[in-house]
Amino acid sequence: MEEPQNEKKEEENKEQAKKEESEAKEEKLVKESEYLELKDRLLRLAAEFDNYKKRAARDVANSKLLGKAELMKKLLPTLDEFELALSVSKESKETKGFEMIFSNLIEALKSEGLSEIETNGKYDPYKHEIILTKESEEKDGTILEVVRKGYMLNDILLRPATVIVAKHKDESPNKKSGEEK
């Protein structure tokens, strides 16, 4: 009589063992999926932090450049006045000294990225400002004279060059566009 009870207990034990084994497998799968989920979140968080560091470094560099640009904008009228004073002053020892100082100042500003806008050739609406057009034998839009120099800091326009441009002379001023012969 005890044998059927033992068999019954063994069967119950086997079922219990299978149940525990299946629960252990299920728990292992849950732990593994949690692990993979946490690993994925960690990798994403690391990537986000790396992007944040790059963005912050870019923002700092842009802020520095904009700060330089603002300072150089404020210095431009002083450069103009300095240049004007040197152009009208007579040759003397003092003038030579001021020319050296001006040259050093310009070199220091150029080393920080300041550059004059080219004014040779044709008018560029992104870099030049027209204040006057003169009739000339030159092609339309050719720069004839620079009234005020323009400057850029790297790729930032600080001040456009103020220019006078050519307007091609009309050969027959009496002709009207709608007039027939």
Side-chain angles (χ1 to χ4, degrees), residues 72-175:
M72 293 210 186
K73 272 184 188 178
K74 291 177 182 176
L75 287 174
L76 292 181
T78 306
L79 287 178
D80 293 339
E81 292 165 359
F82 210 140
E83 203 169 301
L84 180 64
L86 288 174
S87 69
V88 297
S89 66
K90 297 178 182 174
E91 291 293 319
S92 68
K93 290 179 184 178
E94 292 84 14
T95 304
K96 288 286 183 192
F98 285 121
E99 285 174 354
M100 289 172 55
I101 293 168
F102 182 70
S103 174
N104 289 341
L105 176 62
I106 291 294
E107 287 305 312
L109 293 174
K110 282 183 179 180
S111 72
E112 291 297 319
L114 184 71
S115 62
E116 270 185 42
I117 293 175
E118 287 292 321
T119 53
N120 300 337
K122 196 151 176 70
Y123 164 74
D124 179 355
Y126 297 105
K127 296 180 180 178
H128 304 119
E129 178 180 48
I130 299 175
I131 61 163
L132 187 65
T133 56
K134 282 186 180 177
E135 285 191 359
S136 170
E137 296 297 321
E138 300 287 331
K139 291 182 180 178
D140 278 355
T142 302
I143 296 172
L144 298 175
E145 187 180 334
V146 178
V147 177
R148 186 175 71 176
K149 289 182 180 180
Y151 293 95
M152 293 187 76
L153 176 67
N154 299 330
D155 293 331
I156 299 173
L157 179 68
L158 298 177
R159 179 177 74 190
T162 306
V163 295
I164 297 173
V165 295
K167 180 179 178 183
H168 193 69
K169 283 186 179 178
D170 191 13
E171 296 299 323
S172 53
N174 295 336
K175 263 192 180 179

Side-chain angles (χ1 to χ4, degrees), residues 35-47:
Y35 167 77
L36 291 175
E37 184 181 321
L38 288 173
K39 182 180 176 184
D40 183 57
R41 284 177 53 195
L42 178 65
L43 290 174
R44 289 178 189 275
L45 189 60

